[in-house]
Amino acid sequence: MSNSLFNEFEPVSAKQWKQKIQFDLKGADYNDTLVWTSNEGIQVKPFYHADDFKTTPKLSGTQASQFKICDAIFVQHAGKSNKNAISAINSGAESLKFIIPSEAISIENLLKNIDLDNVSIHFELQFLSEKFIKNISVIPAKTGIHINTDIIGNLSKTGNWFSNLKEDFSKFETVVTTSKSFSIDLSLYQNAGANMVQQLAYALAHANEYFNHLENAIPSKSNTQITVTFNASVGTNYFFEIAKLRALRLLFDTISSAYSIDYNCHIFTTPTKRNKAIYDYNTNMLRTTTECMCAILGGSDTICNVSYDAVFHKKNEFGTRIARNQLLILKHESYFDAVANPSDGSYYIETLTHQLAEKALILFKDIEVNGGFLKQLKNNTIQRKIKESAAKEQEQFNLGEEIILGSNKHPNKNDKMRADLELYPFVKKQHRKTLIEPIIEKRLTENLEQERLKKE
């Protein structure tokens, strides 16, 4: 029926559409009026058409409807965290991320009475321990246990190795062969202000350092599949963020296919910190809803929302419940679990995906030609490029070109926050010796908020 219905309409070419638009512009220049350029250097047109493609875009291979709703729990006490985990599962969580600060934490007590056949587990360890990871790896879990080991991410964020380069990589080999997994902290680059092309290229170059090392460390005939978890963050640039996650998977497949080891890509996504505000904080809820939708449509495997007050409040039951419910509503009331890949075949998203991938691949190749990711971290090239991108975005925010409602647009001047701050919401400065300059995460609204707090 649908085919016969569409056959009644004559096809309209891209050229005809453009001619109609130019007629309606009444003499105004098409490019100056309707075409704009993103921070990634991508020119965005007012419409996209099948004529833009020589062949029909291929499906991305993702299963957007299969995403898992995750709760993140910082583990100070195994017993209390176990109760919080079981409560989260009973309230709709399908996956758990445990952030573990110490080897003293009992994994047995932490996972007690959790159905590991149906609930997937992510461990983010704030230390590097072969023994601790071996103990986790023997736990039977049908849905999978992912251990986020990222020694380069730790170097990028703190400026130092856990111990030193040689020892960290030696332990990393053991961890990967034992746990069959490792991670890439892609969110660090986003939260520090890198544009999307940089985020993708740095994530690839970051991963490629591991691929090169493991190619010699793991026998090619081992038939081992290793899961690489990309911890990504997404903002509210809706279609671009969808395309970014799709491009990440596309680029991963391209790069990993050059190696003998079988790598599997797992995308773990959270909303960005960069656009979150302490004033008019309920608007953060709108941002995270949009960002979770980006994560779903971009094909994330696991999504962990953040609460609207996470920037300035300690973790609390209300904020956690609202964050989880946002994902539950998207999945079960908005039917995001019913359509496999709703963004596939969108000419705009497909075009953005390939443009981001192409630009990221060019930057990735440049990094590799100039010695690789670690060398460029050491000589401060990566940090400098991120700072330049962040400064450009900050200027756009300061000029009102980048809008965060409630902050630089329509602020509530009667809003007072000084007495409501439970956490310090700004960049903390610590004077310490580091091997490299660390990459620092910073929110766009910080300077404006500090000025407003002084006047309260």
Side-chain angles (χ1 to χ4, degrees):
M1 182 184 293
S2 59
N3 288 334
S4 61
L5 173 65
F6 285 116
N7 287 337
E8 294 179 14
F9 297 90
E10 289 293 327
V12 181
S13 68
K15 183 178 179 180
Q16 288 174 296
W17 274 114
K18 189 171 182 179
Q19 287 174 340
K20 173 61 177 171
I21 292 169
Q22 287 177 321
F23 176 79
D24 289 341
L25 286 173
K26 298 179 180 179
D29 185 82
Y30 175 86
N31 289 323
D32 291 344
T33 307
L34 298 178
V35 178
W36 59 276
T37 304
S38 74
N39 286 346
E40 293 76 20
I42 292 175
Q43 288 198 322
V44 181
K45 301 184 297 183
F47 77 99
Y48 290 80
H49 194 279
D51 290 354
D52 296 328
F53 298 90
K54 294 179 181 178
T55 58
T56 304
K58 295 180 180 179
L59 299 180
S60 64
T62 61
Q63 289 290 322
S65 61
Q66 301 300 311
F67 73 96
K68 299 291 185 184
I69 298 172
C70 183
D71 262 31
I73 299 171
F74 185 86
V75 183
Q76 290 179 315
H77 183 277
K80 292 179 181 177
S81 296
N82 174 260
K83 290 180 181 178
N84 290 336
I86 291 173
S87 175
I89 294 167
N90 291 335
S91 299
E94 302 158 322
S95 178
L96 297 168
K97 179 178 182 179
F98 292 112
I99 304 166
I100 302 180
S102 166
E103 291 185 66
I105 298 296
S106 168
I107 295 300
E108 183 182 357
N109 291 339
L110 183 63
L111 299 179
K112 187 177 181 181
N113 297 325
I114 293 177
D115 182 6
L116 298 180
D117 285 343
N118 293 298
V119 179
S120 60
I121 306 293
H122 297 259
F123 287 106
E124 181 182 310
L125 310 184
Q126 296 183 336
F127 54 89
L128 188 60
S129 169
E130 297 160 291
K131 182 181 178 182
F132 194 86
I133 289 171
K134 283 179 181 178
N135 290 337
I136 295 175
S137 299
V138 298
I139 299 170
K142 186 182 292 185
T143 51
I145 290 179
H146 305 273
I147 301 175
N148 290 1
T149 305
D150 185 7
I151 56 176
I152 297 175
N154 181 70
L155 173 69
S156 301
K157 190 168 187 175
T158 68
N160 289 315
W161 298 103
F162 286 103
S163 298
N164 55 62
L165 185 150
K166 186 177 180 180
E167 187 175 336
D168 277 18
F169 266 101
S170 176
K171 289 183 177 180
F172 178 77
E173 286 178 28
T174 305
V175 166
V176 173
T177 53
T178 302
S179 66
K180 307 297 186 295
S181 65
F182 64 90
S183 65
I184 308 293
D185 187 5
L186 170 58
S187 66
L188 174 64
Y189 312 129
Q190 203 277 347
N191 286 314
N195 65 45
M196 293 185 196
V197 169
Q198 290 173 329
Q199 293 169 44
L200 291 168
Y202 297 161
L204 278 186
H206 186 153
N208 201 50
E209 291 284 350
Y210 291 141
F211 293 162
N212 281 325
H213 189 83
L214 294 172
E215 191 72 3
N216 300 318
I218 297 177
S220 59
K221 296 180 181 180
S222 63
N223 295 322
T224 298
Q225 185 182 73
I226 294 174
T227 297
V228 184
T229 299
F230 285 90
N231 292 305
S233 287
V234 290
T236 50
N237 192 348
Y238 194 66
F239 295 107
F240 269 75
E241 292 290 1
I242 294 169
K244 180 183 80 177
L245 294 178
R246 289 161 56 87
L248 173 60
R249 201 177 290 276
L250 179 66
L251 289 165
F252 175 86
D253 290 342
T254 301
I255 300 300
S256 63
S257 64
Y259 293 89
S260 62
I261 299 171
D262 181 16
Y263 290 106
N264 174 52
C265 177
H266 186 101
I267 299 179
F268 184 107
T269 308
T270 58
T272 183
K273 301 173 188 174
R274 189 145 172 84
N275 62 7
K276 301 306 178 288
I278 64 173
Y279 286 98
D280 209 354
Y281 49 76
N282 286 317
T283 56
N284 290 332
M285 218 179 299
L286 302 176
R287 297 182 188 107
T288 54
T289 300
T290 298
E291 289 156 357
C292 286
M293 288 171 66
C294 293
I296 296 167
L297 296 175
S300 300
D301 298 287
T302 305
I303 303 172
C304 186
N305 196 11
V306 295
S307 64
Y308 69 98
D309 59 348
V311 172
F312 59 93
H313 273 169
K314 294 177 182 178
K315 190 165 184 176
N316 58 85
E317 185 180 351
F318 180 76
T320 300
R321 181 168 61 84
I322 292 297
R324 186 189 310 116
N325 284 351
Q326 286 173 264
L327 282 167
L328 287 168
I329 289 170
L330 288 173
K331 189 164 191 174
H332 299 296
E333 294 186 29
S334 303
Y335 302 103
F336 275 80
D337 63 337
V339 182
N341 293 301
S343 59
D344 282 349
S346 162
Y347 300 136
Y348 180 34
I349 293 174
E350 294 285 1
T351 302
L352 289 180
T353 299
H354 288 283
Q355 286 182 321
L356 286 171
E358 287 169 3
K359 285 179 175 291
L361 196 57
I362 291 170
L363 180 53
F364 165 75
K365 289 177 179 178
D366 180 72
I367 294 169
E368 294 303 303
V369 166
N370 287 285
F373 191 69
L374 280 176
K375 183 175 181 180
Q376 294 223 331
L377 275 177
K378 187 177 179 180
N379 64 26
N380 208 42
T381 301
I382 302 296
Q383 296 91 321
R384 176 171 53 81
K385 293 292 185 181
I386 291 176
K387 281 183 179 179
E388 289 171 0
S389 178
K392 180 179 180 180
E393 189 181 19
Q394 187 69 57
E395 184 180 10
Q396 290 169 339
F397 171 80
N398 295 342
L399 294 173
E401 297 169 4
E402 172 101 7
I403 295 172
I404 296 181
L405 286 176
S407 294
N408 66 342
K409 188 79 169 179
H410 304 307
N412 178 4
K413 295 180 180 180
N414 297 320
D415 200 4
K416 306 295 181 184
M417 285 300 298
R418 181 180 292 277
D420 203 23
L421 301 182
E422 297 176 354
L423 301 172
Y424 186 72
F426 309 116
V427 172
K428 297 177 182 178
K429 295 181 180 180
Q430 295 179 338
H431 297 285
R432 54 190 173 82
K433 189 175 181 180
T434 59
L435 290 173
I436 66 167
E437 179 184 333
I439 297 172
I440 305 298
E441 299 176 342
K442 185 179 180 181
R443 295 180 299 110
L444 285 167
T445 58
E446 287 197 17
N447 294 339
L448 184 150
E449 290 167 352
Q450 287 174 316
E451 289 300 316
R452 286 186 66 174
L453 285 171
K454 288 178 184 177
K455 296 175 182 178
E456 285 189 14

